[in-house]
Amino acid sequence: MSNKLFKSILNTIPRPLLIKASYLVRPIIALSLKGNKFTDPIDGKSFRKFLPYGYGKQRENALSPSTLSLERHRLMWLFLKDETDFFTSKEKLKVLHIAPEQCFLDIFRNQKNLEYTTSDLESPIADVKADICNLPFEDNSYDVIFCNHVLEHIPDDTKAMQELFRVMKKGGFGIFQIPQDISRKTTFEDDSITDKKERAKIFGQYDHVRVYGLDYFDKLRSVGFKVDEIEYTKKISEEKLKRFCLMKGEILPVCYKL
């Protein structure tokens, strides 16, 4: 599949339809790209190349043909596996996954140590249809919360962060990844830009409402979270960075409710 065609598909087909279609085409693409140059650490399968990905500028070898994981998913997987007891906890963990990613869905659902709930307003694979700014869950409900590449879509991201804080248990943690421009000190948003092409050019995607800067972490802290800014690729060897197709320098925002 050419980069141009792939980019066109991403920008024209609504995300819920893309999710449904991916279940049909994924096995065919994975079979056609089998090889041993790159490996997806989530399922251990190897390929001669990964797929390109990006709504604007396409990143080469970004999307795994088997799990449909991106660089950020593979980084989070390695962190959870090597630095937490997420997969090994003897006590059952209550997990909330906002806008669940396909690469994790079946694995997390089948984990015996997890009580796993997914939620989203539009996703066809979510258990609970809900607005992140008004979650239908009790206070202090979840040990672990994932909310990745969601907040940049939400006009009132402060309210969304407050809801994530409210439903997290004391002593719990969450990973809230966002597309971030680490060269920016402050987050940029401008509601006056309404043209989709212009928004895609400035914000990275037509449906993003801001570009987060380094102040993102302080915004999470302002609602009550303790935030660790973890540049986890520094702990991964150069060989594995290349083999797993990871994005060097990406920061994992790991948030705790003390």
Side-chain angles (χ1 to χ4, degrees):
M1 186 181 293
S2 73
N3 289 21
K4 194 173 181 182
L5 176 59
F6 203 72
K7 181 178 174 180
S8 176
I9 289 169
L10 284 176
N11 281 286
T12 55
I13 299 177
R15 192 179 296 267
L17 288 179
L18 276 176
I19 291 171
K20 288 180 179 178
S22 68
Y23 280 97
L24 298 173
V25 301
R26 182 170 58 179
I28 300 165
I29 294 172
L31 187 63
S32 71
L33 293 177
K34 277 188 81 171
N36 58 15
K37 187 172 184 182
F38 302 114
T39 301
D40 186 337
I42 296 174
D43 64 0
K45 292 183 179 176
S46 295
F47 304 92
R48 59 185 172 83
K49 71 173 185 175
F50 282 5
L51 293 164
Y53 192 85
Y55 283 75
K57 186 181 178 183
Q58 296 251 295
R59 305 187 306 278
E60 293 294 333
N61 295 309
L63 183 70
S64 163
S66 56
T67 67
L68 300 184
S69 67
L70 291 165
E71 304 96 332
R72 58 191 168 87
H73 302 129
R74 297 188 288 275
L75 185 68
M76 185 175 110
W77 172 271
L78 293 168
F79 175 80
L80 290 173
K81 185 170 71 71
D82 297 337
E83 304 291 333
T84 76
D85 67 349
F86 182 77
F87 295 108
T88 57
S89 171
K90 290 178 182 171
E91 290 184 18
K92 202 151 203 173
L93 299 174
K94 282 192 71 177
V95 179
L96 176 62
H97 198 162
I98 305 291
E101 294 107 330
Q102 285 165 272
C103 57
F104 299 132
L105 193 66
D106 290 340
I107 297 170
F108 290 178
R109 273 185 179 156
N110 292 328
Q111 278 290 125
K112 296 283 194 290
N113 68 319
L114 305 182
E115 185 182 326
Y116 180 62
T117 302
T118 62
S119 180
D120 190 74
L121 201 56
E122 296 180 349
S123 174
I125 58 175
D127 302 318
V128 180
K129 296 289 185 283
D131 182 349
I132 190 175
C133 292
N134 186 25
L135 292 171
F137 308 116
E138 298 290 325
D139 295 1
N140 304 299
S141 293
Y142 292 97
D143 299 290
V144 184
I145 301 177
F146 301 124
C147 177
N148 297 318
H149 283 233
V150 173
L151 294 169
E152 69 275 9
H153 297 268
I154 309 299
D156 190 353
D157 63 339
T158 301
K159 177 62 177 165
M161 291 175 185
Q162 289 168 341
E163 279 291 270
L164 294 172
F165 185 81
R166 179 183 68 79
V167 302
M168 184 183 287
K169 285 182 185 178
K170 286 188 177 179
F173 79 92
I175 296 178
F176 309 144
Q177 293 171 304
I178 39 85
Q180 187 176 32
D181 181 353
I182 58 173
S183 69
R184 287 180 181 270
K185 285 187 178 179
T186 56
T187 296
F188 173 74
E189 48 190 306
D190 186 343
D191 294 340
S192 70
I193 304 166
T194 55
D195 179 73
K196 279 191 173 184
K197 285 186 178 178
E198 190 66 14
R199 289 195 70 81
K201 184 179 173 184
I202 293 170
F203 298 109
Q205 246 175 253
Y206 68 88
D207 55 352
H208 287 183
V209 297
R210 65 184 63 82
V211 181
Y212 282 108
L214 290 173
D215 59 343
Y216 171 65
F217 309 111
D218 284 333
K219 186 156 191 179
L220 288 166
R221 292 181 182 110
S222 74
V223 304
F225 288 111
K226 174 186 178 291
V227 182
D228 287 347
E229 305 166 30
I230 301 175
E231 194 177 329
Y232 195 57
T233 56
K234 282 185 174 178
K235 293 190 76 172
I236 300 170
S237 71
E238 198 67 37
E239 189 274 328
K240 284 185 176 178
L241 287 176
K242 290 176 182 173
R243 174 158 285 278
F244 296 154
C245 298
L246 300 174
M247 194 178 288
K248 207 169 184 179
E250 183 172 354
I251 299 171
L252 271 178
V254 185
C255 303
Y256 302 88
K257 183 174 178 177
L258 303 180

Short mmCIF file of all heavy atoms in Angstrom, two decimals, residues 62-116:
data_model
loop_
_atom_site.label_atom_id
_atom_site.label_comp_id
_atom_site.label_asym_id
_atom_site.label_seq_id
_atom_site.Cartn_x
_atom_site.Cartn_y
_atom_site.Cartn_z
N ALA A 62 5.90 2.67 11.15
CA ALA A 62 5.26 3.12 12.39
C ALA A 62 4.21 2.14 12.89
O ALA A 62 4.11 1.88 14.09
CB ALA A 62 4.62 4.49 12.17
N LEU A 63 3.43 1.55 11.98
CA LEU A 63 2.25 0.76 12.34
C LEU A 63 2.53 -0.74 12.15
O LEU A 63 2.81 -1.19 11.04
CB LEU A 63 1.06 1.18 11.47
CG LEU A 63 -0.30 0.53 11.75
CD1 LEU A 63 -0.87 1.02 13.07
CD2 LEU A 63 -1.27 0.83 10.62
N SER A 64 2.44 -1.48 13.25
CA SER A 64 2.67 -2.92 13.17
C SER A 64 1.56 -3.60 12.38
O SER A 64 0.37 -3.37 12.66
CB SER A 64 2.73 -3.52 14.58
OG SER A 64 2.56 -4.92 14.53
N PRO A 65 1.89 -4.47 11.41
CA PRO A 65 0.86 -5.14 10.61
C PRO A 65 0.02 -6.14 11.41
O PRO A 65 -1.11 -6.44 11.02
CB PRO A 65 1.66 -5.87 9.53
CG PRO A 65 3.00 -5.22 9.51
CD PRO A 65 3.25 -4.77 10.91
N SER A 66 0.55 -6.65 12.54
CA SER A 66 -0.19 -7.69 13.26
C SER A 66 -1.11 -7.13 14.34
O SER A 66 -2.30 -7.40 14.35
CB SER A 66 0.78 -8.70 13.86
OG SER A 66 1.73 -8.07 14.69
N THR A 67 -0.56 -6.30 15.24
CA THR A 67 -1.40 -5.77 16.33
C THR A 67 -1.97 -4.39 16.01
O THR A 67 -2.85 -3.90 16.72
CB THR A 67 -0.59 -5.64 17.64
OG1 THR A 67 0.41 -4.63 17.48
CG2 THR A 67 0.05 -6.97 18.03
N LEU A 68 -1.46 -3.75 14.98
CA LEU A 68 -1.79 -2.35 14.64
C LEU A 68 -1.30 -1.39 15.73
O LEU A 68 -1.86 -0.31 15.92
CB LEU A 68 -3.29 -2.16 14.40
CG LEU A 68 -3.91 -2.99 13.27
CD1 LEU A 68 -5.37 -2.63 13.08
CD2 LEU A 68 -3.15 -2.79 11.96
N SER A 69 -0.24 -1.79 16.41
CA SER A 69 0.37 -0.89 17.40
C SER A 69 1.20 0.17 16.69
O SER A 69 1.78 -0.08 15.64
CB SER A 69 1.26 -1.67 18.37
OG SER A 69 2.39 -2.20 17.70
N LEU A 70 1.26 1.35 17.32
CA LEU A 70 2.15 2.42 16.90
C LEU A 70 3.32 2.50 17.87
O LEU A 70 3.36 1.76 18.87
CB LEU A 70 1.39 3.75 16.87
CG LEU A 70 0.33 3.87 15.77
CD1 LEU A 70 -0.60 5.04 16.05
CD2 LEU A 70 0.96 4.01 14.40
N GLU A 71 4.27 3.40 17.60
CA GLU A 71 5.46 3.53 18.43
C GLU A 71 5.08 3.71 19.91
O GLU A 71 5.69 3.11 20.79
CB GLU A 71 6.31 4.73 17.99
CG GLU A 71 6.73 4.70 16.53
CD GLU A 71 5.81 5.51 15.61
OE1 GLU A 71 4.60 5.65 15.94
OE2 GLU A 71 6.30 6.01 14.59
N ARG A 72 4.08 4.57 20.17
CA ARG A 72 3.69 4.88 21.54
C ARG A 72 3.11 3.67 22.26
O ARG A 72 3.30 3.49 23.46
CB ARG A 72 2.71 6.05 21.57
CG ARG A 72 1.44 5.83 20.76
CD ARG A 72 0.67 7.13 20.65
NE ARG A 72 -0.40 7.08 19.68
CZ ARG A 72 -1.63 6.66 19.94
NH1 ARG A 72 -1.93 6.24 21.15
NH2 ARG A 72 -2.55 6.68 19.00
N HIS A 73 2.36 2.83 21.51
CA HIS A 73 1.79 1.62 22.12
C HIS A 73 2.89 0.64 22.53
O HIS A 73 2.85 0.05 23.62
CB HIS A 73 0.85 0.91 21.14
CG HIS A 73 -0.27 1.76 20.66
ND1 HIS A 73 -0.57 1.92 19.32
CD2 HIS A 73 -1.17 2.51 21.34
CE1 HIS A 73 -1.60 2.73 19.19
NE2 HIS A 73 -1.98 3.10 20.40
N ARG A 74 3.86 0.47 21.64
CA ARG A 74 4.94 -0.47 21.93
C ARG A 74 5.80 0.00 23.10
O ARG A 74 6.25 -0.80 23.92
CB ARG A 74 5.78 -0.70 20.66
CG ARG A 74 4.96 -1.34 19.54
CD ARG A 74 5.80 -1.74 18.35
NE ARG A 74 6.28 -0.62 17.55
CZ ARG A 74 5.61 -0.02 16.57
NH1 ARG A 74 4.37 -0.40 16.27
NH2 ARG A 74 6.15 0.97 15.88
N LEU A 75 5.97 1.33 23.20
CA LEU A 75 6.73 1.89 24.32
C LEU A 75 5.97 1.65 25.63
O LEU A 75 6.56 1.24 26.64
CB LEU A 75 6.96 3.39 24.11
CG LEU A 75 7.84 4.07 25.16
CD1 LEU A 75 9.28 3.59 25.06
CD2 LEU A 75 7.78 5.59 25.00
N MET A 76 4.67 1.90 25.64
CA MET A 76 3.86 1.69 26.83
C MET A 76 3.87 0.23 27.24
O MET A 76 3.96 -0.10 28.43
CB MET A 76 2.43 2.17 26.60
CG MET A 76 1.56 2.11 27.85
SD MET A 76 -0.09 2.79 27.61
CE MET A 76 -1.08 1.30 27.67
N TRP A 77 3.78 -0.67 26.29
CA TRP A 77 3.82 -2.11 26.56
C TRP A 77 5.11 -2.50 27.28
O TRP A 77 5.08 -3.20 28.30
CB TRP A 77 3.68 -2.88 25.25
CG TRP A 77 3.90 -4.36 25.38
CD1 TRP A 77 5.07 -5.04 25.29
CD2 TRP A 77 2.89 -5.34 25.67
NE1 TRP A 77 4.87 -6.38 25.49
CE2 TRP A 77 3.54 -6.59 25.72
CE3 TRP A 77 1.51 -5.28 25.87
CZ2 TRP A 77 2.86 -7.78 25.96
CZ3 TRP A 77 0.83 -6.47 26.11
CH2 TRP A 77 1.49 -7.70 26.16
N LEU A 78 6.23 -2.02 26.76
CA LEU A 78 7.52 -2.36 27.36
C LEU A 78 7.64 -1.80 28.78
O LEU A 78 8.16 -2.46 29.67
CB LEU A 78 8.67 -1.83 26.49
CG LEU A 78 8.81 -2.51 25.12
CD1 LEU A 78 9.76 -1.72 24.23
CD2 LEU A 78 9.30 -3.95 25.27
N PHE A 79 7.12 -0.58 28.97
CA PHE A 79 7.14 0.03 30.31
C PHE A 79 6.29 -0.79 31.28
O PHE A 79 6.74 -1.10 32.40
CB PHE A 79 6.63 1.47 30.24
CG PHE A 79 6.50 2.12 31.60
CD1 PHE A 79 7.62 2.63 32.24
CD2 PHE A 79 5.27 2.21 32.23
CE1 PHE A 79 7.51 3.22 33.50
CE2 PHE A 79 5.15 2.79 33.48
CZ PHE A 79 6.27 3.30 34.13
N LEU A 80 5.08 -1.14 30.89
CA LEU A 80 4.19 -1.91 31.76
C LEU A 80 4.80 -3.27 32.11
O LEU A 80 4.74 -3.72 33.26
CB LEU A 80 2.83 -2.13 31.08
CG LEU A 80 1.93 -0.90 30.94
CD1 LEU A 80 0.71 -1.25 30.10
CD2 LEU A 80 1.50 -0.37 32.31
N LYS A 81 5.40 -3.90 31.12
CA LYS A 81 5.96 -5.24 31.30
C LYS A 81 7.21 -5.22 32.19
O LYS A 81 7.36 -6.07 33.07
CB LYS A 81 6.30 -5.85 29.93
CG LYS A 81 6.78 -7.30 29.99
CD LYS A 81 6.85 -7.91 28.61
CE LYS A 81 7.98 -7.33 27.78
NZ LYS A 81 9.34 -7.77 28.24
N ASP A 82 8.08 -4.24 31.97
CA ASP A 82 9.38 -4.25 32.64
C ASP A 82 9.46 -3.40 33.91
O ASP A 82 10.35 -3.60 34.72
CB ASP A 82 10.46 -3.77 31.66
CG ASP A 82 10.62 -4.71 30.47
OD1 ASP A 82 10.25 -5.90 30.60
OD2 ASP A 82 11.10 -4.26 29.41
N GLU A 83 8.53 -2.45 34.07
CA GLU A 83 8.65 -1.51 35.19
C GLU A 83 7.47 -1.54 36.17
O GLU A 83 7.50 -0.82 37.17
CB GLU A 83 8.79 -0.08 34.64
CG GLU A 83 9.94 0.11 33.66
CD GLU A 83 11.31 0.00 34.31
OE1 GLU A 83 11.41 0.28 35.52
OE2 GLU A 83 12.27 -0.38 33.61
N THR A 84 6.43 -2.32 35.89
CA THR A 84 5.25 -2.35 36.77
C THR A 84 4.82 -3.79 37.02
O THR A 84 5.32 -4.73 36.38
CB THR A 84 4.05 -1.58 36.14
OG1 THR A 84 3.46 -2.39 35.11
CG2 THR A 84 4.48 -0.25 35.55
N ASP A 85 3.85 -3.95 37.92
CA ASP A 85 3.28 -5.29 38.17
C ASP A 85 1.93 -5.45 37.45
O ASP A 85 1.10 -6.26 37.86
CB ASP A 85 3.12 -5.53 39.67
CG ASP A 85 2.07 -4.63 40.33
OD1 ASP A 85 1.59 -3.66 39.66
OD2 ASP A 85 1.72 -4.87 41.49
N PHE A 86 1.73 -4.69 36.39
CA PHE A 86 0.46 -4.70 35.68
C PHE A 86 0.08 -6.12 35.22
O PHE A 86 -1.08 -6.52 35.30
CB PHE A 86 0.54 -3.77 34.46
CG PHE A 86 -0.74 -3.67 33.67
CD1 PHE A 86 -1.80 -2.90 34.14
CD2 PHE A 86 -0.89 -4.33 32.46
CE1 PHE A 86 -2.99 -2.81 33.42
CE2 PHE A 86 -2.07 -4.24 31.73
CZ PHE A 86 -3.12 -3.48 32.22
N PHE A 87 1.05 -6.88 34.74
CA PHE A 87 0.77 -8.23 34.24
C PHE A 87 0.96 -9.31 35.30
O PHE A 87 0.57 -10.45 35.09
CB PHE A 87 1.68 -8.55 33.05
CG PHE A 87 1.41 -7.69 31.83
CD1 PHE A 87 2.32 -6.71 31.45
CD2 PHE A 87 0.27 -7.86 31.09
CE1 PHE A 87 2.08 -5.92 30.34
CE2 PHE A 87 0.02 -7.06 29.98
CZ PHE A 87 0.93 -6.10 29.59
N THR A 88 1.55 -8.95 36.43
CA THR A 88 1.92 -9.98 37.41
C THR A 88 1.27 -9.78 38.78
O THR A 88 1.45 -10.62 39.68
CB THR A 88 3.45 -9.98 37.60
OG1 THR A 88 3.88 -8.67 38.02
CG2 THR A 88 4.17 -10.36 36.31
N SER A 89 0.52 -8.70 38.97
CA SER A 89 -0.08 -8.41 40.27
C SER A 89 -0.91 -9.59 40.78
O SER A 89 -1.73 -10.16 40.04
CB SER A 89 -0.98 -7.17 40.16
OG SER A 89 -1.72 -7.00 41.34
N LYS A 90 -0.69 -9.97 42.04
CA LYS A 90 -1.47 -11.07 42.63
C LYS A 90 -2.85 -10.60 43.04
O LYS A 90 -3.79 -11.38 43.13
CB LYS A 90 -0.69 -11.66 43.82
CG LYS A 90 0.55 -12.43 43.35
CD LYS A 90 1.34 -12.98 44.50
CE LYS A 90 2.57 -13.70 43.95
NZ LYS A 90 3.51 -14.09 45.03
N GLU A 91 -2.97 -9.30 43.31
CA GLU A 91 -4.29 -8.73 43.59
C GLU A 91 -4.91 -8.27 42.28
O GLU A 91 -4.23 -7.77 41.40
CB GLU A 91 -4.15 -7.52 44.53
CG GLU A 91 -3.75 -7.90 45.94
CD GLU A 91 -3.72 -6.68 46.87
OE1 GLU A 91 -4.33 -5.65 46.50
OE2 GLU A 91 -3.09 -6.78 47.92
N LYS A 92 -6.21 -8.47 42.15
CA LYS A 92 -6.90 -8.09 40.92
C LYS A 92 -6.91 -6.57 40.77
O LYS A 92 -7.27 -5.85 41.71
CB LYS A 92 -8.33 -8.63 40.91
CG LYS A 92 -8.92 -8.74 39.52
CD LYS A 92 -9.95 -9.85 39.46
CE LYS A 92 -10.12 -10.32 38.04
NZ LYS A 92 -10.98 -11.49 37.94
N LEU A 93 -6.49 -6.10 39.61
CA LEU A 93 -6.47 -4.66 39.33
C LEU A 93 -7.71 -4.27 38.53
O LEU A 93 -8.04 -4.90 37.53
CB LEU A 93 -5.22 -4.30 38.53
CG LEU A 93 -3.86 -4.58 39.17
CD1 LEU A 93 -2.75 -4.29 38.17
CD2 LEU A 93 -3.66 -3.75 40.43
N LYS A 94 -8.38 -3.22 39.00
CA LYS A 94 -9.49 -2.66 38.22
C LYS A 94 -8.90 -1.66 37.24
O LYS A 94 -8.25 -0.69 37.64
CB LYS A 94 -10.51 -1.99 39.14
CG LYS A 94 -11.44 -2.95 39.84
CD LYS A 94 -12.60 -2.22 40.50
CE LYS A 94 -13.59 -1.68 39.46
NZ LYS A 94 -14.77 -1.03 40.10
N VAL A 95 -9.13 -1.88 35.95
CA VAL A 95 -8.51 -1.08 34.89
C VAL A 95 -9.59 -0.41 34.05
O VAL A 95 -10.55 -1.06 33.61
CB VAL A 95 -7.62 -1.96 33.99
CG1 VAL A 95 -6.99 -1.12 32.88
CG2 VAL A 95 -6.55 -2.67 34.80
N LEU A 96 -9.42 0.89 33.83
CA LEU A 96 -10.28 1.63 32.91
C LEU A 96 -9.45 2.08 31.72
O LEU A 96 -8.39 2.69 31.90
CB LEU A 96 -10.89 2.86 33.60
CG LEU A 96 -11.73 3.79 32.72
CD1 LEU A 96 -12.95 3.08 32.16
CD2 LEU A 96 -12.14 5.05 33.49
N HIS A 97 -9.93 1.78 30.53
CA HIS A 97 -9.20 2.15 29.31
C HIS A 97 -10.11 3.04 28.47
O HIS A 97 -11.11 2.59 27.92
CB HIS A 97 -8.85 0.86 28.55
CG HIS A 97 -7.78 1.04 27.53
ND1 HIS A 97 -7.06 -0.01 27.00
CD2 HIS A 97 -7.28 2.15 26.91
CE1 HIS A 97 -6.18 0.43 26.13
NE2 HIS A 97 -6.31 1.74 26.05
N ILE A 98 -9.77 4.32 28.41
CA ILE A 98 -10.52 5.28 27.61
C ILE A 98 -10.03 5.18 26.16
O ILE A 98 -8.83 5.17 25.90
CB ILE A 98 -10.31 6.73 28.12
CG1 ILE A 98 -10.67 6.84 29.61
CG2 ILE A 98 -11.11 7.72 27.27
CD1 ILE A 98 -12.12 6.70 29.94
N ALA A 99 -10.97 5.13 25.21
CA ALA A 99 -10.63 4.98 23.79
C ALA A 99 -9.67 3.80 23.59
O ALA A 99 -8.51 4.00 23.20
CB ALA A 99 -10.06 6.27 23.21
N PRO A 100 -10.12 2.59 23.88
CA PRO A 100 -9.23 1.42 23.88
C PRO A 100 -8.57 1.18 22.53
O PRO A 100 -9.21 1.26 21.49
CB PRO A 100 -10.16 0.26 24.23
CG PRO A 100 -11.53 0.73 23.80
CD PRO A 100 -11.53 2.20 24.06
N GLU A 101 -7.27 0.88 22.58
CA GLU A 101 -6.52 0.58 21.35
C GLU A 101 -6.60 -0.91 21.06
O GLU A 101 -6.47 -1.74 21.96
CB GLU A 101 -5.07 1.01 21.51
CG GLU A 101 -4.89 2.51 21.64
CD GLU A 101 -4.53 2.98 23.04
OE1 GLU A 101 -4.95 2.33 24.01
OE2 GLU A 101 -3.85 4.02 23.15
N GLN A 102 -6.79 -1.23 19.78
CA GLN A 102 -6.95 -2.63 19.38
C GLN A 102 -5.77 -3.50 19.77
O GLN A 102 -5.93 -4.68 20.08
CB GLN A 102 -7.14 -2.72 17.86
CG GLN A 102 -8.51 -2.28 17.39
CD GLN A 102 -8.50 -2.05 15.89
OE1 GLN A 102 -8.20 -0.96 15.44
NE2 GLN A 102 -8.83 -3.07 15.13
N CYS A 103 -4.58 -2.93 19.75
CA CYS A 103 -3.38 -3.73 20.02
C CYS A 103 -3.37 -4.28 21.45
O CYS A 103 -2.69 -5.27 21.73
CB CYS A 103 -2.12 -2.92 19.75
SG CYS A 103 -1.99 -1.39 20.68
N PHE A 104 -4.12 -3.62 22.35
CA PHE A 104 -4.16 -4.07 23.75
C PHE A 104 -5.44 -4.81 24.11
O PHE A 104 -5.46 -5.56 25.09
CB PHE A 104 -4.03 -2.86 24.69
CG PHE A 104 -2.76 -2.08 24.56
CD1 PHE A 104 -2.79 -0.70 24.46
CD2 PHE A 104 -1.53 -2.71 24.55
CE1 PHE A 104 -1.63 0.04 24.36
CE2 PHE A 104 -0.35 -1.98 24.44
CZ PHE A 104 -0.40 -0.61 24.35
N LEU A 105 -6.49 -4.59 23.38
CA LEU A 105 -7.85 -4.96 23.79
C LEU A 105 -7.97 -6.42 24.22
O LEU A 105 -8.35 -6.72 25.36
CB LEU A 105 -8.82 -4.66 22.65
CG LEU A 105 -10.31 -4.70 23.01
CD1 LEU A 105 -10.66 -3.59 23.99
CD2 LEU A 105 -11.17 -4.58 21.76
N ASP A 106 -7.68 -7.35 23.33
CA ASP A 106 -7.87 -8.78 23.65
C ASP A 106 -6.90 -9.25 24.73
O ASP A 106 -7.27 -10.06 25.59
CB ASP A 106 -7.70 -9.64 22.39
CG ASP A 106 -8.84 -9.45 21.41
OD1 ASP A 106 -9.92 -8.97 21.84
OD2 ASP A 106 -8.69 -9.77 20.22
N ILE A 107 -5.67 -8.74 24.69
CA ILE A 107 -4.67 -9.15 25.68
C ILE A 107 -5.11 -8.72 27.08
O ILE A 107 -5.09 -9.52 28.03
CB ILE A 107 -3.28 -8.56 25.35
CG1 ILE A 107 -2.78 -9.09 24.00
CG2 ILE A 107 -2.27 -8.89 26.45
CD1 ILE A 107 -1.56 -8.38 23.47
N PHE A 108 -5.53 -7.48 27.23
CA PHE A 108 -5.95 -6.99 28.54
C PHE A 108 -7.23 -7.68 29.00
O PHE A 108 -7.38 -7.99 30.19
CB PHE A 108 -6.15 -5.47 28.50
CG PHE A 108 -4.87 -4.66 28.37
CD1 PHE A 108 -4.92 -3.27 28.28
CD2 PHE A 108 -3.63 -5.28 28.31
CE1 PHE A 108 -3.75 -2.52 28.16
CE2 PHE A 108 -2.46 -4.54 28.18
CZ PHE A 108 -2.52 -3.15 28.10
N ARG A 109 -8.15 -7.93 28.07
CA ARG A 109 -9.40 -8.61 28.44
C ARG A 109 -9.14 -10.03 28.96
O ARG A 109 -9.86 -10.52 29.82
CB ARG A 109 -10.33 -8.69 27.22
CG ARG A 109 -11.22 -7.48 27.05
CD ARG A 109 -12.19 -7.65 25.92
NE ARG A 109 -13.04 -6.48 25.78
CZ ARG A 109 -13.66 -6.13 24.66
NH1 ARG A 109 -13.50 -6.86 23.56
NH2 ARG A 109 -14.42 -5.05 24.62
N ASN A 110 -8.11 -10.66 28.43
CA ASN A 110 -7.82 -12.05 28.80
C ASN A 110 -6.89 -12.20 29.99
O ASN A 110 -6.63 -13.32 30.43
CB ASN A 110 -7.24 -12.80 27.59
CG ASN A 110 -8.27 -12.98 26.49
OD1 ASN A 110 -9.46 -13.12 26.77
ND2 ASN A 110 -7.83 -12.95 25.24
N GLN A 111 -6.39 -11.06 30.51
CA GLN A 111 -5.51 -11.12 31.68
C GLN A 111 -6.34 -11.50 32.92
O GLN A 111 -7.27 -10.78 33.28
CB GLN A 111 -4.84 -9.76 31.91
CG GLN A 111 -3.62 -9.49 31.06
CD GLN A 111 -2.44 -10.35 31.46
OE1 GLN A 111 -1.90 -11.06 30.62
NE2 GLN A 111 -2.06 -10.30 32.72
N LYS A 112 -5.95 -12.59 33.56
CA LYS A 112 -6.71 -13.09 34.72
C LYS A 112 -6.65 -12.13 35.90
O LYS A 112 -7.53 -12.13 36.76
CB LYS A 112 -6.15 -14.45 35.15
CG LYS A 112 -6.32 -15.56 34.11
CD LYS A 112 -7.75 -16.09 34.09
CE LYS A 112 -7.85 -17.41 33.33
NZ LYS A 112 -7.66 -17.26 31.89
N ASN A 113 -5.58 -11.32 35.98
CA ASN A 113 -5.42 -10.43 37.13
C ASN A 113 -6.05 -9.05 36.91
O ASN A 113 -5.88 -8.16 37.73
CB ASN A 113 -3.94 -10.26 37.47
CG ASN A 113 -3.17 -9.49 36.38
OD1 ASN A 113 -3.40 -9.72 35.20
ND2 ASN A 113 -2.30 -8.59 36.79
N LEU A 114 -6.76 -8.87 35.80
CA LEU A 114 -7.37 -7.57 35.51
C LEU A 114 -8.90 -7.66 35.46
O LEU A 114 -9.46 -8.60 34.89
CB LEU A 114 -6.88 -7.02 34.16
CG LEU A 114 -5.38 -6.89 33.93
CD1 LEU A 114 -5.11 -6.30 32.55
CD2 LEU A 114 -4.71 -6.04 35.02
N GLU A 115 -9.54 -6.66 36.05
CA GLU A 115 -10.97 -6.43 35.81
C GLU A 115 -11.02 -5.23 34.88
O GLU A 115 -10.83 -4.09 35.30
CB GLU A 115 -11.70 -6.15 37.12
CG GLU A 115 -13.20 -6.01 36.97
CD GLU A 115 -13.89 -5.69 38.29
OE1 GLU A 115 -13.42 -6.18 39.34
OE2 GLU A 115 -14.87 -4.93 38.27
N TYR A 116 -11.27 -5.49 33.60
CA TYR A 116 -10.96 -4.54 32.54
C TYR A 116 -12.23 -3.94 31.93
O TYR A 116 -13.10 -4.67 31.45
CB TYR A 116 -10.14 -5.26 31.47
CG TYR A 116 -9.70 -4.45 30.27
CD1 TYR A 116 -8.86 -3.35 30.42
CD2 TYR A 116 -10.11 -4.81 28.99
CE1 TYR A 116 -8.44 -2.64 29.32
CE2 TYR A 116 -9.69 -4.10 27.88
CZ TYR A 116 -8.86 -3.02 28.05
OH TYR A 116 -8.43 -2.31 26.94
#
